[in-house]
Amino acid sequence: STPYGKHHIIHVDEYEVSRCTMEKEQMFSSKTALVNMAMQLLACMTCALPTVFAGSASNPASTLAEREQEHQKVVEVSRVGAIIIMASYVAYIFFQLVTHKKMLTLDEGNDSDEEDDDSGEGGLSISWSLALMTVTTVLIAISSELLVGAIEHVVEHCHI
């Protein structure tokens, strides 16, 4: 451990000092990673289930009324999934920020990164953090609009 944080040596090829590199060791809570992966799995399943139902329910020989009824069932499944995932995210935020704040900042017996930082310097100021978050949000909004436009183009040309 150095004054600048924990480091470990990565050896490239054989043991030659000139070919060694230093890299900062990253610490994370395995419990937080587990909760995040569970939330990602829930989000993927919520998106995938209506798609699977819509694909399996299509019968080309059915009447227009039957297809509309099947479509309404898929929409209902999709809406219930959206409500479940919204409730899960609200519960997750409450869990992470209020009820189990200490548990998710500790890594199985190790102190959190904040306590390891002896230099007293923060990463970014509040104004830089807000500016970076704003720029990131704008970039995500632009890329989302481009993606939706591309999907609409494919749907229109493939008659989906």
Side-chain angles (χ1 to χ4, degrees):
S1 185
T2 66
Y4 301 106
K6 293 182 179 180
H7 290 77
H8 63 278
I9 297 175
I10 298 175
H11 297 282
V12 179
D13 294 330
E14 296 178 15
Y15 185 74
E16 294 179 30
V17 177
S18 63
R19 301 193 80 169
C20 295
T21 59
M22 296 291 283
E23 209 175 89
K24 187 171 182 179
E25 183 177 348
Q26 304 237 342
M27 303 294 289
F28 66 96
S29 170
S30 59
K31 293 174 188 169
T32 303
L34 182 65
V35 171
N36 286 333
M37 289 306 299
M39 293 301 290
Q40 286 294 326
L41 178 64
L42 178 65
C44 291
M45 299 259 317
T46 303
C47 292
L49 280 177
T51 306
V52 170
F53 289 152
S56 66
S58 297
N59 183 4
S62 62
T63 65
L64 182 61
E66 290 173 342
R67 285 194 301 249
E68 183 63 32
Q69 187 179 16
E70 290 174 358
H71 177 72
Q72 289 302 321
K73 288 179 184 178
V74 171
V75 168
E76 185 178 337
V77 168
S78 179
R79 289 182 181 155
V80 167
I83 291 169
I84 289 171
I85 201 165
M86 281 192 298
S88 298
Y89 276 120
V90 168
Y92 170 66
I93 297 282
F94 186 75
F95 175 82
Q96 187 176 21
L97 297 178
V98 179
T99 62
H100 290 78
K101 182 178 178 181
K102 187 102 173 150
M103 181 191 84
L104 295 176
T105 58
L106 299 178
D107 184 31
E108 297 175 8
N110 296 329
D111 291 338
S112 69
D113 289 337
E114 294 176 271
E115 295 172 6
D116 285 343
D117 191 14
D118 295 333
S119 63
E121 297 177 16
L124 294 173
S125 67
I126 292 175
S127 58
W128 274 105
S129 298
L130 289 173
L132 183 62
M133 187 172 64
T134 302
V135 168
T136 303
T137 303
V138 168
L139 290 174
I140 289 171
I142 291 169
S143 64
S144 297
E145 287 299 320
L146 292 173
L147 178 64
V148 167
I151 290 172
E152 285 176 348
H153 179 71
V154 169
V155 167
E156 184 178 303
H157 283 45
C158 294
H159 306 291
I160 298 177

